[in-house]
Amino acid sequence: MRGDRIGLGRAGPVGNGTPGPDVPESAWARAVGLISAAPEVALACHVSPDADALGSMLAAGRALTGLGKKVVASFGDRRFVVPRLLRFLPGQELLVEPAGYPAAPEVMITFDASTTARLGLLNRNAARARELIVMDHHPSNEGFGTMSLIDPAAAATAVLVEELLRRLGVPLDRDIAMCLYAGLVTDTGSFRHASTTPAAHAMAARLIATGLRTDEIARELWDRSPFGYLKVLGLALDRVALERDAVHGLGLVWTFVPRLDRAAYGLPYAEVEGMIDVIRRADEAEVAVVLKEDDDGAWQVSTRSKGAVDMSRVCTAFGGGGHRMAAGYTSLLTVEETMTSLRDLLASAPVEPPR
Ligand code: MN
């Protein structure tokens, strides 16, 4: 029976479930050997961590601690603050500020970072690590470490981490599962994006079976905000613009959030992360953009497409990165200048029929 192939067993060659991540056996074997032999492992995820970056790192941290290893975990932001949305994730006792991170780790693992630039301050430590294991699922990741556990087809970096833990012989407990689930559910857009494969659902089933509360995780991630968010969203919606002729006539919808708006309502930068999900609803636009001014005055540009335009290519051209339908970059120009250069690039970007 065909349906038998889609079981809920562990992924990978040992289980009877859906196929595991597409990483060469030799790479898994080498990574497992390195990690098993190391008394100390340093973990790092990308700056301004999202749930997949931080969740993947903390899940691995918990697991490696359980194996008796000394573990430090960090991310290279100058302002070292865990976004409020992610403070419910277990394992944060492993976090150290970048200044307290080993200068030249014997074994270092990076999570969900597609380039060394995404490591921020920890780029220096990564450059001096004896072994640098890169775990990621961004198609643009060229593998900047001494070894790669990269699968561009994986729904989340958490998928790769689950497989690593299985190979290390670490059973999933509720805390590890919460961290991995936060990454999986975020990167699949609550199992709505095209990355939502049978394997993604099978992994979710394994995680939920540990007893985690999907309702509580969903509320922490998406269904709560300080009141000030509503006011700042109102201002952003008030200035939202639709440019029907942009992107070869496919349409562009965009808005911006100056830090003064946030300051007026005491709203931290991280709280405006999800605003793009409101803006991208507009049927009349293929591409949605939100420019968010961070506390340093730089504009963090979030972009989404509905599949016809590869936003990863567009954002990479501006020094950022991401996925086809969700990508971003940092702009030090004004809003007007940023939008002019983005519009120009979108006007020459190849348009493909949605997959
Ligand atoms: Mn990710």
Side-chain angles (χ1 to χ4, degrees):
M1 247 175 80
R2 238 197 125 170
D4 288 342
R5 294 181 57 82
I6 305 176
L8 301 181
R10 298 297 310 243
V14 175
N16 61 349
T18 48
D22 188 15
V23 168
E25 275 303 313
S26 56
W28 284 123
R30 186 153 175 261
V32 167
L34 276 175
I35 293 167
S36 300
E40 230 179 287
V41 184
L43 312 180
C45 67
H46 66 67
V47 291
S48 304
D50 59 13
D52 190 31
L54 191 66
S56 292
M57 177 169 76
L58 294 179
R62 274 288 178 113
L64 295 177
T65 306
L67 290 174
K69 299 184 186 304
K70 191 174 168 224
V71 176
V72 290
S74 189
F75 46 91
D77 283 285
R78 221 165 299 133
R79 274 190 203 88
F80 186 76
V81 181
V82 174
R84 178 189 62 82
L85 291 179
L86 302 179
R87 284 189 204 143
F88 74 97
L89 290 177
Q92 308 213 5
E93 70 281 357
L94 300 171
L95 292 174
V96 297
E97 300 216 5
Y101 202 81
E106 283 291 307
V107 176
M108 179 168 171
I109 312 177
T110 68
F111 299 88
D112 208 44
S114 55
T115 61
T116 52
R118 295 284 285 155
L119 295 175
L121 296 175
L122 294 179
N123 191 4
R124 277 176 302 191
N125 312 66
R128 297 178 60 195
R130 182 196 287 271
E131 294 284 355
L132 183 65
I133 303 173
V134 174
M135 299 191 75
D136 191 24
H137 69 129
H138 289 89
S140 58
N141 195 325
E142 288 167 1
F144 51 83
T146 59
M147 62 167 308
S148 298
L149 301 174
I150 300 173
D151 180 4
T157 295
V159 172
L160 291 145
V161 173
E162 194 214 9
E163 178 67 12
L164 176 67
L165 300 195
R166 186 184 72 75
R167 287 169 181 267
L168 286 168
V170 179
L172 295 175
D173 64 22
R174 190 172 161 278
D175 283 353
I176 291 172
M178 264 177 84
C179 291
L180 294 175
Y181 184 83
L184 181 67
V185 76
T186 299
D187 273 24
T188 57
S190 309
F191 303 106
R192 288 174 297 174
H193 295 166
S195 55
T196 307
T197 56
H201 276 296
M203 176 173 162
R206 290 189 293 274
L207 300 177
I208 295 168
T210 64
L212 60 78
R213 290 283 304 268
T214 57
D215 55 343
E216 285 173 7
I217 294 173
R219 188 168 59 239
E220 291 291 344
L221 288 173
W222 300 295
D223 295 340
R224 51 175 292 204
S225 289
F227 176 71
Y229 174 77
L230 301 180
K231 304 296 281 182
V232 172
L233 175 64
L235 295 169
L237 290 177
D238 201 42
R239 58 173 83 95
V240 69
L242 175 65
E243 301 180 15
R244 291 173 187 269
D245 295 337
V247 200
H248 308 276
L250 295 176
L252 166 69
V253 62
W254 69 279
T255 190
F256 60 102
V257 183
R259 58 179 154 169
L260 280 176
D261 281 10
R262 292 191 291 104
Y265 297 101
L267 195 67
Y269 172 78
E271 298 289 340
V272 296
E273 197 66 47
M275 211 172 273
I276 186 74
D277 289 322
V278 180
I279 304 304
R280 71 182 172 88
R281 295 180 63 89
D283 283 336
E284 294 83 353
E286 161 67 22
V287 173
V289 176
V290 176
L291 289 77
K292 301 164 295 183
E293 190 180 9
D294 67 21
D295 293 334
D296 298 321
W299 291 96
Q300 303 297 336
V301 184
S302 296
T303 76
R304 298 288 186 273
S305 86
K306 290 172 182 163
V309 179
D310 185 352
M311 296 315 299
S312 164
R313 276 175 63 174
V314 170
C315 292
T316 300
F318 290 118
H323 304 279
R324 182 178 182 83
M325 294 165 71
Y329 63 97
T330 302
S331 172
L332 300 176
L333 306 174
T334 65
V335 170
E336 292 72 23
E337 290 164 343
T338 301
M339 288 309 297
T340 300
S341 57
L342 180 54
R343 244 181 238 114
D344 287 351
L345 200 62
L346 285 169
S348 60
V351 171
E352 294 164 36
R355 287 175 182 178

